């Protein structure tokens, strides 16, 4: 809130309000619609996405993702949470004529994607409930879970299993599996996922690659989400 920012910066109220107003105009901050607290704006989120997608910074991660895609033979990606969406910030396309085009920067809903379910499953209950009840959950396919109560049951299973699934819930004919990458505080930094046309690799086939996904996630966690000593 503006009051908390004033206290932390120890600056005059008019000065802080002027700075906040300018940052809001420039798109670096925006206000929540109900509580009017400040949250990162679209330009701040774009900076984060650009940093995470940077080729030099992301080279080790991309190499791990490339090896994973080569092993599975399908498209693999990394996603992070962006408000009420997941966003792709790294991706390796499978070399198939038939594939789903979701480029880096794509923002997808939480309730019907493998990675989105993981973010929801490990989210604090208050934050999760606010997201799930803010608006009706959109039905993308006949398999999309749109009842918040049913989705909460699904999220409990997701957290217990330690991986998320998309069983043709976002798109007809597409399935996906995702695993979390944790930091030292046991919070999700980002996820690594694989998706494929169900006609080529049904969900049960993708499940066989969970060990490979978890190995890749562990390698990325050590590189990007853990404090490393010299």
């Amino acid at each position: 809130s503006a009051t908390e920012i004033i206290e932390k910066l120890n600056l005059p109220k008019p000065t802080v309000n002027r700075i906040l107003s300018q940052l809001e105009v420039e798109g670096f901050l925006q206000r929540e619609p109900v509580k009017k607290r400040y949250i990162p704006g679209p330009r701040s989120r774009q900076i984060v996405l650009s940093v995470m997608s940077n080729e030099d910074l992301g080279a080790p991660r991309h190499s791990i993702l490339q090896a994973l895609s080569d092993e599975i033979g399908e498209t693999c990606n990394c996603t992070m949470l962006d408000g009420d969406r997941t966003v792709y910030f790294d991706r390796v396309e499978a070399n198939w004529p038939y594939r789903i085009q979701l480029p880096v920067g794509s923002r997808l809903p939480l309730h019907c994607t493998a990675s989105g379910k993981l973010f929801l499953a490990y989210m604090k209950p208050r934050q999760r409930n606010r997201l799930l009840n803010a608006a009706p959950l959109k039905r993308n396919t006949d398999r999309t879970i749109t009842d918040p109560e049913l989705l909460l049951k699904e999220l409990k299973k997701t957290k217990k299993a330690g991986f998320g699934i998309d069983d043709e819930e976002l798109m007809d004919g597409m399935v996906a599996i995702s695993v979390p990458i944790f930091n030292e505080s046991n919070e999700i930094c980002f996820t690594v996922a694989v998706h494929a046309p169900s006609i080529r690799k049904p969900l049960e086939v993708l499940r066989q690659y969970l060990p490979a996904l978890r190995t890749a996630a562990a390698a990325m966690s050590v590189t990007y989400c853990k404090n490393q000593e010299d």
Side-chain angles (χ1 to χ4, degrees):
S1 68
T3 301
E4 292 170 326
I5 294 172
I6 291 168
E7 292 176 354
K8 289 182 179 294
L9 297 182
N10 195 27
L11 291 173
K13 182 178 179 180
T15 301
V16 171
N17 287 335
R18 186 169 59 252
I19 293 172
L20 291 175
S21 178
Q22 185 64 36
L23 290 174
E24 190 175 1
V25 168
E26 297 293 337
F28 291 105
L29 293 178
Q30 67 184 62
R31 295 196 200 191
E32 291 182 326
V34 179
K35 294 187 177 182
K36 303 297 183 182
R37 295 171 65 88
Y38 287 94
I39 59 175
R43 289 185 68 181
S44 294
R45 295 198 296 271
Q46 186 58 49
I47 290 172
V48 172
L49 178 60
S50 297
V51 171
M52 293 295 288
S53 303
N54 180 273
E55 291 185 2
D56 292 333
L57 177 66
R61 180 193 61 238
H62 193 77
S63 295
I64 296 168
L65 202 61
Q66 181 69 65
L68 180 66
S69 178
D70 291 343
E71 178 178 351
I72 300 176
E74 298 294 345
T75 297
C76 294
N77 57 70
C78 289
T79 72
M80 59 185 179
L81 183 65
D82 182 15
D84 63 347
R85 293 287 189 273
T86 62
V87 59
Y88 288 1
F89 65 89
D90 202 352
R91 183 173 174 86
V92 173
E93 292 277 359
N95 189 24
W96 289 99
Y98 175 44
R99 56 192 177 187
I100 293 94
Q101 296 290 338
L102 291 169
V104 168
S106 296
R107 299 177 74 249
L108 303 175
L110 300 176
H111 70 287
C112 57
T113 56
S115 293
K117 288 181 185 177
L118 276 177
F119 285 119
L120 286 171
Y122 286 92
M123 198 175 285
K124 293 180 180 179
R126 185 176 180 181
Q127 181 185 5
R128 178 173 58 235
N129 291 337
R130 187 170 68 246
L131 288 175
L132 295 183
N133 295 304
L137 300 176
K138 182 181 177 182
R139 182 176 297 280
N140 291 278
T141 74
D142 290 340
R143 294 176 178 263
T144 307
I145 302 174
T146 58
D147 184 326
E149 292 300 320
L150 292 178
L151 183 59
L152 284 174
K153 292 180 180 179
E154 173 75 7
L155 296 177
K156 288 181 180 179
K157 296 178 183 178
T158 298
K159 188 172 183 179
K160 183 176 180 180
F163 63 91
I165 64 170
D166 167 9
D167 188 8
E168 298 189 55
E169 297 163 58
L170 177 66
M171 297 180 185
D172 286 317
M174 187 186 84
V175 294
I177 287 185
S178 177
V179 298
I181 300 171
F182 295 105
N183 60 21
E184 293 181 332
S185 300
N186 204 35
E187 299 170 332
I188 298 182
C189 294
F190 52 93
T191 69
V192 59
V194 57
H195 65 70
S198 57
I199 194 172
R200 188 164 63 228
K201 279 193 176 69
L203 189 59
E204 288 307 312
V205 174
L206 282 188
R207 287 177 187 267
Q208 299 174 16
Y209 294 99
L210 273 171
L213 281 164
R214 286 172 170 149
T215 298
M220 292 183 189
S221 178
V222 169
T223 304
Y224 293 97
C225 296
K226 303 291 186 182
N227 291 326
Q228 301 180 54
E229 297 181 358
D230 293 335

